[in-house]
Amino acid sequence: MTEKSGKTFELTDKDAGRSAQLPLRKGTLGSAALDIAGLNKDLGVFTYDPGFGATAATESRITYIDGDAGVLLYRGYPIEQLAEKSSFMEVAYLLLIGELPTAKQLEEFTGNIRYHTMINESLLRFFNYFHHNAHPMAMVSGVVASMAAFYHDTMDIHNPRHREIFAHRIIAKIPTIAAAAHKHSLGQPFVYPRNDLDYAANVLSMLFAVPCEAYKVDPIAARALDLLFVLHADHEQNASTSTVRLAGSTGANPYAAISAGVSALWGPAHGGANEAVLSMLEQIGTVDNIPKYLAMAKDKSSHFRLMGFGHRVYKNFDPRAKIIREMCHKVLAQLGRSDNPLLELAQRLEEVALKDPYFVERKLYPNVDFYSGVIYSAIGIPRSMFTVMFAIARTVGWVAHWQEMIADPSMRIGRPRQLYTGPVQREYVDIKKRG
Ligand code: ACO
């Protein structure tokens, strides 16, 4: 629980002769938050903050971002250190449990995830009824929601063991669901999980293996994917995580809450940006066209934005983007594809945008999605699956936040208020008298 800092702000409505005492709550890092719980009771007003630009919706001990300094910590550990030294399974344990695992704990955790990788055959058959060109995010969202139908009577959200099994199940099965969506798009048979492989390698195997040939996972691709999963695993109260929390706060089945998160992630302003970046780079085509597209991005009458640029919280480099840009060079060199026109174009675009007063004044920097697509493409993942890859990784964060919320005895249903601007009360008019 946060502590009241001892500092209190008083807000007074002189006309009404009323005032409210608003205590300041301090966390361990970052901005303190004004506790406005008494505001409506004492002054009869709400706060107005569309887009939640200044509202802390919850306390959380999981992830910390300092957007001005470009810092990201998972449970206190800098993302740069985790990217260099850790693995996705270790990070998953860290986010869920709060501490780095011992070797034995990691082995046990990984074993639990491996144990749950298969999905019910009925769930697998759902895919046959999706249109052949359905977007994989639509399929993944639908099938994850359907898991609630398979695990409902056995899921008591107030039982910690049930919550733990849910966590293992969804983290284990989301790659199987994701890969099935991809195979359905291709018209290829589904590939079952291989529990002898590690998490990222198994994802690659389910995406790319076919029954008629032996498939060997490329360790460079597996390592790159694992690292991308580490970088995407959590990002505090972003739109999709807040969606999972809001849906989960009603006591809804957690698979349904995660499905809501998948849907929220899909939008191009959020996780869908990775797909949009590649489309944009292809649209721009050559370095010569950069000025034209930059002008469009600055033109408020056009709907074009520089995808992969800007962030609600980062007003500096997104530390994940820095790591991924470095990684692009390494991975492409290791794969023998150093000559990558998309990477060259992306870098040039970044360079030009970062010198442009429009982007400088608004502190718009590349975000996590700007370079990730270049790596996904290099390891053979099709563009329509980029956001699905993000969803696989972010499932860990969603689950960690859902767990944190449900385990909190002070949890209440999330229920925002509004500033009503519609008609005042009026009398019903009979249809014959309406002019
Ligand atoms: N291209 C051009 N202009 C931009 C961009 C951009 N990518 N991003 C922000 N701006 C401009 C806005 O038009 C606005 O200008 P104004 O002050 O003249 O009106 C100003 O910068 C502030 O932007 P907002 O939209 O108010 O910022 P907000 O915090 O609401 O949005 C967002 C953040 C959605 C990420 C935005 O920067 C954007 O649309 N970026 C492109 C999409 C993207 O990359 N999304 C991925 C984010 S990371 C993630 O979710 C995984």
Side-chain angles (χ1 to χ4, degrees):
M1 293 289 286
T2 51
E3 293 296 326
K4 290 185 185 167
S5 67
K7 197 168 174 182
T8 298
F9 288 76
E10 185 174 283
L11 203 66
T12 304
D13 178 345
K14 284 192 185 140
D15 295 341
R18 293 195 290 179
S19 64
Q21 304 293 320
L22 309 178
L24 195 68
R25 289 189 171 273
K26 269 178 92 75
T28 48
L29 285 172
S31 300
L34 209 52
D35 182 342
I36 57 157
L39 200 60
N40 188 243
K41 181 168 62 70
D42 297 333
L43 287 181
V45 298
F46 298 134
T47 52
Y48 180 65
D49 182 22
F52 305 108
T55 297
T58 184
E59 290 180 25
S60 182
R61 303 167 65 87
I62 301 173
T63 291
Y64 173 74
I65 305 172
D66 180 336
D68 293 324
V71 167
L72 169 61
L73 311 176
Y74 290 168
R75 300 281 190 184
Y77 294 101
I79 193 67
E80 293 80 2
Q81 290 182 21
L82 294 169
E84 190 192 335
K85 299 176 182 169
S86 190
S87 67
F88 182 57
M89 278 297 97
E90 187 175 70
V91 162
Y93 183 99
L94 173 69
L95 288 169
L96 292 168
I97 309 294
E99 296 298 334
L100 286 169
T102 61
K104 188 165 173 291
Q105 286 166 332
L106 182 60
E107 195 189 323
E108 200 181 314
F109 177 73
T110 310
N112 281 328
I113 302 296
R114 286 204 169 113
Y115 178 74
H116 286 289
T117 49
M118 279 175 51
I119 58 173
N120 190 296
E121 287 291 310
S122 315
L123 263 180
L124 210 50
R125 281 195 288 275
F126 281 14
F127 286 93
N128 295 330
Y129 300 98
F130 285 113
H131 200 256
H132 69 277
N133 63 0
H135 194 285
M137 281 298 274
M139 292 190 262
V140 171
S141 169
V143 174
V144 170
S146 306
M147 285 177 75
F150 289 77
Y151 306 106
H152 192 64
D153 296 339
T154 53
M155 179 73 227
D156 171 6
I157 60 169
H158 301 297
N159 181 326
R161 177 65 187 138
H162 286 199
R163 294 203 293 268
E164 187 183 37
I165 296 173
F166 153 72
H168 295 160
R169 271 201 185 118
I170 187 69
I171 293 167
K173 292 182 200 304
I174 189 106
T176 315
I177 292 170
H182 177 55
K183 288 297 190 187
H184 175 71
S185 307
L186 295 177
Q188 286 183 0
F190 303 122
V191 172
Y192 285 91
R194 273 185 51 193
N195 292 353
D196 61 317
L197 296 175
D198 69 23
Y199 195 86
N202 178 45
V203 171
L204 292 172
S205 162
M206 289 191 294
L207 287 174
F208 301 130
V210 285
C212 48
E213 276 175 25
Y215 177 77
K216 200 166 168 302
V217 177
D218 180 343
I220 298 165
R223 174 65 195 133
L225 192 58
D226 193 81
L227 182 49
L228 286 172
F229 286 164
V230 166
L231 298 175
H232 286 86
D234 192 42
H235 214 227
E236 50 115 312
Q237 313 306 324
N238 56 84
S240 57
T241 303
S242 298
T243 301
V244 171
R245 278 190 179 258
L246 197 58
S249 77
T250 67
N253 184 293
Y255 296 99
I258 298 293
S259 161
V262 174
S263 301
L265 184 74
W266 190 7
H270 191 12
N274 52 15
E275 188 181 335
V277 169
L278 257 245
S279 306
M280 176 189 76
L281 290 174
E282 281 185 6
Q283 200 184 343
I284 297 174
T286 64
V287 171
D288 296 344
N289 287 330
I290 290 178
K292 179 177 136 198
Y293 282 92
L294 224 50
M296 268 166 68
K298 295 188 279 187
D299 177 3
K300 300 290 176 199
S301 64
S302 108
H303 290 296
F304 182 82
R305 278 192 165 197
L306 208 55
M307 299 313 288
F309 252 77
H311 197 276
R312 171 60 63 79
V313 185
Y314 292 118
K315 301 302 167 200
N316 196 328
F317 268 96
D318 178 335
R320 303 166 301 173
K322 273 193 199 167
I323 299 170
I324 298 178
R325 190 180 45 190
E326 276 293 294
M327 201 180 149
C328 278
H329 290 288
K330 274 195 206 142
V331 173
L332 291 171
Q334 285 170 334
L335 293 172
R337 294 185 214 154
S338 294
D339 275 352
N340 187 300
L342 279 182
L343 178 58
E344 278 167 33
L345 183 60
Q347 289 190 128
R348 189 74 193 117
L349 183 58
E350 176 192 327
E351 221 176 282
V352 178
L354 289 182
K355 285 190 196 129
D356 188 298
Y358 174 96
F359 291 87
V360 175
E361 280 158 22
R362 290 169 180 77
K363 299 186 176 167
L364 301 170
Y365 289 86
N367 61 50
V368 67
D369 286 327
F370 193 65
Y371 286 106
S372 61
V374 174
I375 301 190
Y376 287 136
S377 289
I379 60 179
I381 292 171
R383 199 182 307 168
S384 63
M385 286 295 289
F386 289 0
T387 314
V388 176
M389 294 295 109
F390 192 157
I392 292 176
R394 186 54 59 84
T395 293
V396 164
W398 292 331
V399 172
H401 282 270
W402 178 83
Q403 299 256 39
E404 181 178 65
M405 178 184 69
I406 300 290
D408 178 355
S410 65
M411 181 195 90
R412 298 170 77 197
I413 185 171
R415 201 329 183 162
R417 305 303 297 257
Q418 65 169 8
L419 178 62
Y420 177 69
T421 55
V424 296
Q425 184 170 333
R426 48 187 171 163
E427 290 301 311
Y428 179 83
V429 180
D430 191 274
I431 194 162
K432 295 189 205 99
K433 295 187 182 157
R434 287 175 218 159

